[in-house]
Amino acid sequence: MKRNGFFLTFEGADGSGKSTQARRLAETLKSRGLDVVLTREPGGSAGAEEIRKLLVEGDPARWSAETEILLFTAARRDHLERTILPALARGAIVISDRFADSTRVYQGAARADLRQTVDKLHSLMISHEPDLTLVFDIDANTGLARGLARQSGEDRFEELGAGFQQKLRLGYQALLQDFPDRCVSIDGSGSIDQVADTVLNAVNGHLP
Ligand code: ADP
Ligand code: TYD
């Protein structure tokens, strides 16, 4: 399917401020009259939202890393088919709060060393990359505190603790080196308004 729109993803450890900033940016771009679709992973389509519940709730040891890769990929395939590609085909800006880089970092590096499996399944079932990826960087303890303070009931991954958050941070730093053409690091440590300015600066100039 032809892609006319722009595919922007927000990545980073839990509590790094991605969702807050993705919402802010979507509002800003909509107020400029642009066609914007704000979506998220896991989820973003009816079927993928059902799979999300299996993934984010319950015991941290509920699934093996391998099973997780399959569930995240199944959810992503549905999200891609039903939400992302149709929106891009009509020329929309799609902002996704997480996409395939989350699997590369969480299942490929932080939870397990399964990057080859992740890459194979990605090329078999997904094989689309974002046009631009903003990678939110924040001190592991600050991110963890912010994430748990939300009390969303979706803390299966946050419950893995600060050591895990630190692994995620390193995983995302490696991702910036793997995909330097589309990945930009965003300092998530300032106030919400300060980070929103950084995000706008990073995005302006890239949008069609
Ligand atoms: P993520 O989507 O990366 O997990 P959220 O955007 O949901 O992070 O933010 C996690 C929590 O931290 C939320 O309660 C949010 O209101 C708060 N938060 C987000 N950005 C900031 C910021 N720059 N400073 C302080 N608190 C923030
Ligand atoms: P999300 O709702 O974005 O969490 P948060 O707002 O706390 O950042 O994502 C749910 C959890 O799923 C999060 O801990 C990251 C994890 N995840 C993976 O492990 N692999 C993936 O491929 C995706 C998309 C998410």
Side-chain angles (χ1 to χ4, degrees), residues 14 18 52 72 76 98 103 106-107 150 157-158:
D14 308 75
K18 298 177 303 324
R52 176 189 177 91
F72 280 117
R76 180 161 307 127
R98 297 192 184 280
T103 316
Y106 279 72
Q107 284 68 42
R150 270 182 313 203
F157 287 87
E158 275 98 334

Side-chain angles (χ1 to χ4, degrees), residues 13-20 97 146 150 188 190-192 195:
D14 308 75
S16 58
K18 298 177 303 324
S19 315
T20 305
D97 183 354
R146 281 190 196 169
R150 270 182 313 203
S191 70
I192 291 178
V195 182

Side-chain angles (χ1 to χ4, degrees), residues 40 62 88 104 125 157 165 199:
R40 68 164 179 184
R62 181 177 186 185
L88 291 177
R104 291 186 174 111
M125 285 296 152
F157 287 87
Q165 292 290 317
V199 166

Side-chain angles (χ1 to χ4, degrees), residues 39-56 67-84 96 98-100 103 121 125-126:
T39 186
R40 68 164 179 184
E41 287 206 356
S45 63
E49 289 289 333
E50 289 194 38
I51 298 173
R52 176 189 177 91
K53 289 203 188 76
L54 299 174
L55 282 159
V56 298
T67 310
E68 264 179 23
I69 294 172
L70 292 168
L71 288 169
F72 280 117
T73 307
R76 180 161 307 127
R77 175 77 197 204
D78 195 61
H79 184 210
L80 195 65
E81 285 175 4
R82 289 164 199 258
T83 304
I84 299 174
S96 187
R98 297 192 184 280
F99 187 65
T103 316
L121 208 54
M125 285 296 152
I126 310 296

Side-chain angles (χ1 to χ4, degrees), residues 57-69:
E57 294 174 10
D59 190 323
R62 181 177 186 185
W63 308 112
S64 72
E66 287 83 354
T67 310
E68 264 179 23
I69 294 172

Side-chain angles (χ1 to χ4, degrees), residues 116-135:
Q116 279 198 335
T117 309
V118 170
D119 287 347
K120 278 187 196 157
L121 208 54
H122 180 82
S123 67
L124 206 58
M125 285 296 152
I126 310 296
S127 54
H128 284 269
E129 299 296 346
D131 297 301
L132 178 67
T133 299
L134 305 184
V135 180

